[in-house]
Amino acid sequence: SQQGEEDPQALSIQEGENATMNCSYKTSINNLQWYRQNSGRGLVHLILIRSNEREKHSGRLRVTLDTSKKSSSLLITASRAADTASYFCATERPGANSKLTFGKGITLSVRP
Amino acid sequence: GAVVSQHPSWVICKSGTSVKIECRSLDFQATTMFWYRQFPKQSLMLMATSNEGSKATYEQGVEKDKFLINHASLTLSTLTVTSAHPEDSSFYICSAGDPDTQYFGPGTRLTVL
């Protein structure tokens, strides 16, 4: 079953704008991770946030985690056309030993 | 970062045949690898956990006799789709890594005619 549910399912923005993607989950977690997938390719790990963290930054990426609401958000600032991809959140549950449960994904289109 | 490769990148086969997909960790050892399946415009669904030197652990609803997994070395896991049918057509992705970061292979597109 799907653990993560991202919204929106699709997002189209202009280059230079910020993109915000949300993910909700249902069970307790060890950590939540965001991945990016270009069409027909493998996944690239973007960022991990642990259950005891509330916010992390990596370059143009900002991730927040609210364990009380069981939700996370991924913010991409100053988007570029090259950011066009599908983005997935994935959760690792306690005792899962690196096993991840993925959300349905968000398709981001950045218009040049 | 660490690199995970898959071979082949795509394969077309006839219904009823078997197809083997390889997943290799190129610059690190992996006692555990994961196999996922992804249908078009959908998410990744974990199929099984591949354990070096022992039997794979399959997720609920995944037929172990149909999707044979062998993890004979610390750098190689194979997934064999036996007696493939058109409904097995999908994108198969493997991953390996450490608890903080999973590195994904580029995927294998399987088309069963």
Side-chain angles (χ1 to χ4, degrees):
Chain A
S1 62
Q2 293 290 337
Q3 163 77 318
E5 294 281 344
E6 294 98 335
D7 77 85
Q9 292 191 343
L11 180 62
S12 180
I13 60 174
Q14 198 73 34
E15 202 166 29
E17 294 179 339
N18 295 341
T20 300
M21 292 168 271
N22 303 302
C23 167
S24 61
Y25 56 93
K26 298 176 183 175
T27 69
S28 59
I29 61 171
N30 275 344
N31 62 67
L32 184 144
Q33 306 178 35
W34 284 90
Y35 287 84
R36 163 196 167 128
Q37 184 182 34
N38 287 80
S39 180
R41 307 287 290 276
L43 275 73
V44 174
H45 182 264
L46 295 177
I47 195 165
L48 175 150
I49 187 164
R50 302 184 192 283
S51 59
N52 61 353
E53 298 175 312
R54 292 297 167 259
E55 186 172 316
K56 283 189 81 168
H57 297 256
S58 177
R60 293 184 297 115
L61 304 179
R62 173 177 170 256
V63 171
T64 62
L65 179 65
D66 187 333
T67 52
S68 66
K69 295 181 180 178
K70 291 186 168 58
S71 67
S72 171
S73 68
L74 172 67
L75 169 67
I76 303 175
T77 60
S79 64
R80 306 166 181 169
D83 294 328
T84 296
S86 292
Y87 291 81
F88 295 89
C89 69
T91 54
E92 181 188 347
R93 303 179 192 182
N97 294 322
S98 300
K99 192 162 71 172
L100 298 175
T101 304
F102 282 82
K104 294 179 180 177
I106 298 169
T107 301
L108 173 66
S109 298
V110 181
R111 303 185 301 274
Chain B
V3 178
V4 174
S5 70
Q6 279 184 243
H7 178 81
S9 55
W10 61 269
V11 58
I12 301 172
C13 69
K14 292 182 178 179
S15 187
T17 61
S18 294
V19 174
K20 180 185 285 187
I21 303 170
E22 295 184 347
C23 176
R24 292 181 186 274
S25 56
L26 296 186
D27 49 1
F28 66 101
Q29 295 182 330
T31 55
T32 301
M33 292 182 175
F34 299 95
W35 286 97
Y36 295 84
R37 181 167 54 182
Q38 184 180 33
F39 291 107
K41 299 191 184 302
Q42 294 189 27
S43 185
L44 280 75
M45 296 299 294
L46 180 65
M47 298 175 67
T49 303
S50 174
N51 305 299
E52 188 270 335
S54 64
K55 291 182 179 179
T57 306
Y58 291 81
E59 295 299 302
Q60 191 172 9
V62 178
E63 300 175 59
K64 62 180 182 181
D65 294 330
K66 180 168 182 63
F67 299 99
L68 300 179
I69 291 173
N70 184 281
H71 194 151
S73 78
L74 287 170
T75 60
L76 174 64
S77 173
T78 61
L79 169 69
T80 301
V81 183
T82 63
S83 187
H85 290 284
E87 55 265 31
D88 298 324
S89 298
S90 188
F91 194 55
Y92 292 86
I93 308 176
C94 68
S95 76
D98 58 48
D100 282 355
T101 304
Q102 283 291 303
Y103 299 98
F104 284 79
T108 297
R109 174 82 52 196
L110 170 63
T111 302
V112 185
L113 302 177

